[in-house]
Amino acid sequence: MDISDSNSTESSVIYETEQTRYLKFGVFAILEPPALICNYVLIHYLITDRTLRHMLQYHAILALLIVSLLTNLVEVPRILNYLRLNIVLPQTNINCLIWQWCDYLLFSAMNVLMLWTSIERHIFIFYSHLHTTAKNRLFFHYLPFIVIITYLVLFYTVAIFIYPCEQQFDFTQPLCGFPCYTTHPIISFYDLFAHTYFPLFLDLLLDIILVIRVFYRKRVGLGQHRTQWQKRDNKYLVGMSSTTMFFLFFFVPTVLMYTNTPTDYDLYGSKISINDIFLIEADNVYQEWYPTLFPYTEASGCDLYFSAMTCQFVYSVIATPSNNLSFVYNCINSQGNNVIGFYASNQTCNFQLIDERIISNYSTQDNFLIDFNGDGTGIYGIADDFIFYYQIYPTIDLFVWPNTLGISPRGMHIGANQDYAVVAGYCQISTSVANECGFLIRLNTS
C-alpha cells in the first residue's frame, strides 16, 4: 500500500477517547461491588426466609435477581476487562461466542421475565383462584418460568453456536462485534421484537392497565371484602409496579439509543447518482427509490419502495459506471448494522434486489463511503472502523478488513485508473484534536 499524507489546520472531532473509556471503567468498577452485595443479600434473604420462600408473589423477583446476579458475575467483569485493555482477551473464537451467548441470553431473559412478572401480577390480584390447587400452581406459576428459560437457552444456543453463517470476529469491539445470525433479516427482526421491543412495551402497557383496573375496583367498591382486598394487594401492587417502572426507566433508553432524527439532512436528504442511461435517487423521508430512465419521457419515471431491503435510511447510492440499469447503496438498518446492497433491472422499471449483506461485527458507522472501481465490477468502501471490497461481477462476494489507516473518512474518489483511491478525512493526533489528512491508497481485493 502506497500512502501520501497531507495535513493542514486542526479540527475538533468527537471520538471514544482514553479518558471516556476510563470514565466508563470507573463507573462500572465503583458500582459493581455494591451491586453484587445487594444481589447476594436479597437472594439469600428470599431463599432462607421460609415465609418469603413459600410466597408465590416473590418467585418472579427471585428469578430477576438471579439473572441480575449472573449479569454482574459474568458480563460486568468482561466489560471491565475490555474497557481496561481496549481489546477482547483471550482472542479466541470460543471466547467471543460465549460472551455473545451470555450477553444476549441474560439481556433477553431479563426482558421476558419482567414481562411475565407483569402478567402474573394481574393473576395474583384479579385471578388468585388460579393458584388454589397444586396443579394450577404448576401450570400457571412454575411452568412459565421453566418454559421461558428453556426457550431462551435453546434459541440463543442455536442462533449463536449452530446457525450456519460466516462469523468474522473483531477483537477491538465489545462482544467481538455482532453475532453473525444478525445478518439474517428475519431472525434478527424476530429476535429484536420478540425479546426486546415486545416485552418492554407490553410490560409498560400491562402496568398502565393494572393501575386503571385497581383504581376502578376501588371506585366501584368491593362491599365487605374491600378492606381485606386493599390490605392484601395494595402493598404488593405498589412494590411490583415500582420495580417495573425502575426497570423500564433504565432499560428502555438502552433499547432506543439508536434513533434517527427526521430533520437531519445528512441522514434523510435525497441521494442521487447518474450514468448515461438512467438516474437513481434515494428518498429517505418517504423511503422510496426514484429511478428515471433516459431519454426522459413522462413514462420513464419509476417508483420503488425500500420494503425489499432492510435499510432504515440510505447513506449513499451510486449508479454503475458501465452504463447498465443497476446501482449499489450503503445504508443502516433498524439495529444499527452497516449494510451494502445491489439492485439491477433488464432495461425496464422492473428493478430487483440482487444482493444485500450486513458488514458484521462493527458498530454503526457515522462515516461510511463507497465508490465503484474503474471497470465497474466492484465497490470499494471505507468507514471509521473498516475497509471493504464488494464484488458484484462476475460473482458477488464481500471482503472486509479493519481500517488501520487511522483516518476518519469524509470523501473518497476512484478514477478511471482503478489502481488507486484518494481518501480525505481527519486523523486523530491527540485525545481531543484531529488534523485534516489525505491518503493515496493502492487498491486490491486481498
Side-chain angles (χ1 to χ4, degrees):
M1 179 181 295
D2 297 332
I3 299 175
S4 65
D5 183 7
S6 62
N7 296 331
S8 58
T9 58
E10 294 184 352
S11 304
S12 256
V13 182
I14 299 174
Y15 288 91
E16 172 74 89
T17 66
E18 186 177 3
Q19 284 82 356
T20 59
R21 189 160 49 84
Y22 278 113
L23 177 62
K24 295 175 185 177
F25 176 85
V27 172
F28 274 104
I30 291 170
L31 295 179
E32 172 71 347
L36 278 173
I37 294 171
C38 289
N39 263 162
Y40 174 77
V41 170
L42 289 172
I43 291 174
H44 181 267
Y45 183 63
L46 289 176
I47 292 176
T48 57
D49 189 294
R50 181 171 180 174
T51 302
L52 295 178
R53 187 172 67 245
H54 288 86
M55 290 181 67
L56 302 183
Q57 292 91 333
Y58 288 102
H59 290 175
I61 293 295
L62 180 61
L64 291 170
L65 286 171
I66 291 173
V67 173
S68 177
L69 179 63
L70 290 174
T71 301
N72 284 315
L73 289 173
V74 177
E75 285 294 286
V76 176
R78 285 180 175 271
I79 295 171
L80 286 170
N81 193 51
Y82 171 79
L83 291 173
R84 182 175 63 90
L85 301 173
N86 201 27
I87 197 169
V88 177
L89 288 178
Q91 295 184 7
T92 62
N93 291 354
I94 189 62
N95 178 52
C96 293
L97 290 172
I98 291 173
W99 192 4
Q100 292 173 352
W101 184 80
C102 291
D103 183 85
Y104 278 68
L105 174 61
L106 291 172
F107 181 80
S108 297
M110 185 66 76
N111 293 337
V112 179
L113 284 173
M114 184 58 75
L115 172 59
W116 171 246
T117 301
S118 293
I119 294 173
E120 197 171 41
R121 191 179 308 136
H122 284 259
I123 297 175
F124 282 131
I125 295 177
F126 300 107
Y127 309 101
S128 57
H129 62 278
L130 294 177
H131 292 138
T132 54
T133 66
K135 184 177 180 180
N136 282 355
R137 287 193 293 272
L138 173 63
F139 280 101
F140 295 105
H141 180 69
Y142 295 106
L143 193 59
F145 289 109
I146 298 172
V147 170
I148 288 170
I149 298 302
T150 303
Y151 157 72
L152 289 174
V153 168
L154 289 176
F155 176 86
Y156 286 110
T157 299
V158 172
I160 292 175
F161 290 102
I162 300 175
Y163 180 71
C165 55
E166 183 179 354
Q167 183 75 61
Q168 297 177 343
F169 296 110
D170 180 4
F171 300 113
T172 66
Q173 298 289 327
L175 304 176
C176 308
F178 294 103
C180 67
Y181 80 85
T182 60
T183 61
H184 190 290
I186 296 177
I187 299 177
S188 182
F189 182 86
Y190 171 78
D191 179 34
L192 180 66
F193 278 86
H195 305 145
T196 303
Y197 287 159
F198 180 76
L200 289 178
F201 292 113
L202 186 57
D203 188 14
L204 179 61
L205 179 63
L206 286 171
D207 266 10
I208 294 172
I209 293 173
L210 180 63
V211 172
I212 294 172
R213 291 186 70 182
V214 167
F215 277 103
Y216 174 77
R217 190 168 181 174
K218 286 182 178 181
R219 189 174 184 83
V220 299
L222 295 171
Q224 61 181 350
H225 300 293
R226 179 172 180 173
T227 302
Q228 179 185 359
W229 179 85
Q230 286 180 329
K231 290 180 179 179
R232 185 192 69 187
D233 293 326
N234 276 8
K235 186 177 180 181
Y236 174 69
L237 171 65
V238 172
M240 290 301 295
S241 295
S242 300
T243 301
T244 302
M245 290 298 105
F246 185 80
F247 170 80
L248 291 173
F249 178 79
F250 285 100
F251 267 66
V252 170
T254 65
V255 175
L256 299 180
M257 63 183 176
Y258 171 68
T259 57
N260 304 323
T261 305
T263 56
D264 190 331
Y265 182 80
D266 288 338
L267 300 185
Y268 282 81
S270 296
K271 322 293 182 178
I272 299 175
S273 183
I274 191 171
N275 63 20
D276 289 346
I277 63 174
F278 88 113
L279 175 147
I280 179 65
E281 176 186 1
D283 186 340
N284 283 308
V285 175
Y286 296 102
Q287 296 197 319
E288 287 188 75
W289 301 108
Y290 301 127
T292 302
L293 280 58
F294 301 145
Y296 178 78
T297 65
E298 291 185 0
S300 63
C302 313
D303 287 344
L304 183 66
Y305 288 99
F306 281 8
S307 57
M309 61 183 187
T310 64
C311 294
Q312 199 164 32
F313 64 83
V314 174
Y315 269 156
S316 56
V317 57
I318 47 175
T320 52
S322 53
N323 289 329
N324 57 42
L325 288 176
S326 60
F327 63 91
V328 173
Y329 60 89
N330 62 327
C331 66
I332 302 298
N333 67 12
S334 60
Q335 288 189 292
N337 293 320
N338 310 289
V339 179
I340 186 82
F342 174 44
Y343 270 94
S345 175
N346 55 354
Q347 307 304 315
T348 69
C349 283
N350 185 27
F351 282 86
Q352 300 293 325
L353 181 62
I354 306 301
D355 182 68
E356 184 179 76
R357 302 186 182 205
I358 291 176
I359 303 174
S360 58
N361 302 312
Y362 291 97
S363 59
T364 306
Q365 302 293 294
D366 292 328
N367 306 292
F368 184 8
L369 312 177
I370 59 174
D371 197 9
F372 268 101
N373 60 8
D375 60 4
T377 59
I379 296 90
Y380 285 95
I382 184 169
D384 289 333
D385 295 336
F386 59 81
I387 299 173
F388 69 90
Y389 176 68
Y390 183 46
Q391 177 180 292
I392 57 174
Y393 297 112
T395 59
I396 297 177
D397 209 344
L398 179 64
F399 308 90
V400 185
W401 310 275
N403 180 357
T404 58
L405 299 175
I407 185 173
S408 178
R410 297 297 189 274
M412 180 175 70
H413 178 69
I414 302 174
N417 182 345
Q418 60 179 319
D419 293 334
Y420 296 92
V422 177
V423 179
Y426 293 98
C427 296
Q428 197 78 19
I429 62 171
S430 70
T431 56
S432 60
V433 177
N435 275 354
E436 297 171 354
C437 59
F439 288 92
L440 180 64
I441 303 174
R442 185 188 297 275
L443 302 174
N444 57 60
T445 59
S446 61

